[in-house]
Amino acid sequence: ALSVLTYQQAVDDGNLGTDTTTGNSFYYVNFNSQRLSKEIRQALSYATDREALNTVITEGTGTLGYFSIKEGWEGYTDDITKYDYNPELAKQMLQEAGADNLDLTFYYASSADNKKLGETLQSQWAQVGVNLTLEEVENGTWWANFTDGNYDVSRGGYPVEVNNTDTCYYDMFHSEAGTFNVSQVNTPEIDSLLEQARTELDSSVRDGIYQQINQILSEEAYYIPLYWQPTSVVYNPNLQGVKAVASQEYHFWDYSWN
């Protein structure tokens, strides 16, 4: 994927064709729900300024969202619990949870964006009395070890297929079958709903099931939703028909030389 800087350099060059759109990869801050209580997760959600994170990491080019489903896809709903930035409320909730002066670790795979995310969370959460230590590991190490759950907070993301809620939600939130369950979700009700949706043939019923799952996920604050990463393309301006594609699936037979 093109970095924000590389894409902007291409735009500023003026001699290249450029286009950008909202991509299909969504990113989260994931709490290890087996280590952090619901009350602490909710408090830290209020302690997080998502707009500031978007500005720092993507220079504001990401599209903020609440889950890895776009409007119009199965399961999309606006009827969820939202945690608007409120550090004073976060402080109060942490005190009520007996979690003053909390020490946590942010475990992340080595990358510039992940480091920016960790450092910004570290700064924001310090304002509510949380000491966040950053633990950077090689990408392969992170992939090998995240399933062990030996961390407090990490970062997840998912390249979502268009209107395929089943695959990404099973991967991210099913306690046994999930291959990318970074939040360590282990909730029988969610497992049951996911299994029900997978075998349900009526799309309107499936839509309702996924909406119910989203309501549970948001209320439990298993994660802090961040943004959809932009997808950008730079090309020879003599090539006609090129547009940025959210899925990054480009078909060269769609293009022609001027």
Side-chain angles (χ1 to χ4, degrees):
L2 286 174
S3 69
V4 174
L5 176 60
T6 300
Y7 180 73
Q8 191 56 51
Q9 288 173 336
V11 172
D12 294 341
D13 179 273
N15 295 313
L16 297 167
T18 57
D19 191 43
T20 189
T21 190
T22 301
N24 281 356
S25 291
F26 193 80
Y27 292 94
Y28 300 88
V29 172
N30 295 84
F31 298 120
N32 182 343
S33 61
Q34 301 307 305
R35 285 192 174 187
L36 302 181
S37 70
K38 174 181 176 180
E39 292 75 21
I40 291 175
R41 299 193 303 264
Q42 289 177 327
L44 293 175
S45 296
Y46 281 119
T48 304
D49 185 342
R50 300 190 309 136
E51 290 189 9
L53 287 172
N54 187 33
T55 299
V56 169
I57 300 167
T58 76
E59 297 188 20
T61 62
T63 302
L64 292 177
Y66 289 100
F67 35 66
S68 54
I69 304 175
K70 292 183 179 178
E71 190 167 1
W73 295 5
E74 280 187 357
Y76 184 89
T77 177
D78 202 45
D79 182 22
I80 58 170
T81 305
K82 297 177 181 177
Y83 303 89
D84 295 330
Y85 182 50
N86 190 334
E88 289 306 313
L89 177 58
K91 227 184 269 188
Q92 177 187 329
M93 292 179 71
L94 287 170
Q95 289 173 351
E96 291 173 353
D100 313 59
N101 304 313
L102 192 62
D103 289 310
L104 298 175
T105 297
F106 178 68
Y107 179 71
Y108 69 97
S110 181
S111 81
D113 284 354
N114 284 348
K115 186 175 183 180
K116 289 178 187 176
L117 173 59
E119 290 174 344
T120 308
L121 286 174
Q122 190 177 54
S123 174
Q124 290 182 1
W125 291 1
Q127 296 175 40
V128 299
V130 174
N131 176 43
L132 185 65
T133 300
L134 307 186
E135 183 180 351
E136 180 179 10
V137 296
E138 292 299 322
N139 197 51
T141 302
W142 187 90
W143 278 99
N145 294 337
F146 90 87
T147 51
D148 294 339
N150 189 26
Y151 56 89
D152 302 314
V153 186
S154 192
R155 196 228 70 172
Y158 204 92
V160 188
E161 296 176 48
V162 176
N163 203 13
N164 185 353
T165 307
D166 171 77
T167 299
C168 70
Y169 270 42
Y170 234 85
D171 266 358
M172 291 192 294
F173 306 125
H174 196 283
S175 65
E176 294 182 2
T179 61
F180 200 58
N181 186 1
V182 186
S183 289
Q184 307 294 327
V185 177
N186 187 358
T187 307
E189 184 180 9
I190 291 178
D191 285 350
S192 177
L193 289 168
L194 285 169
E195 291 158 11
Q196 183 183 341
R198 175 160 278 193
T199 58
E200 178 55 61
L201 300 179
D202 188 321
S203 62
S204 63
V205 175
R206 280 199 312 272
D207 182 56
I209 294 171
Y210 288 127
Q211 287 188 32
Q212 188 178 346
I213 291 171
N214 278 322
Q215 289 162 347
I216 297 170
L217 291 171
S218 63
E219 170 61 24
E220 291 291 329
Y222 287 122
Y223 52 74
I224 299 170
L226 295 179
Y227 50 78
W228 295 95
Q229 186 83 13
T231 293
S232 305
V233 62
V234 176
Y235 58 94
N236 186 319
N238 292 318
L239 192 60
Q240 303 298 298
V242 179
K243 290 288 183 185
V245 179
S247 65
Q248 301 185 55
E249 296 176 358
Y250 293 96
H251 303 142
F252 295 106
W253 53 83
D254 292 334
Y255 313 141
S256 60
W257 289 104
N258 188 7

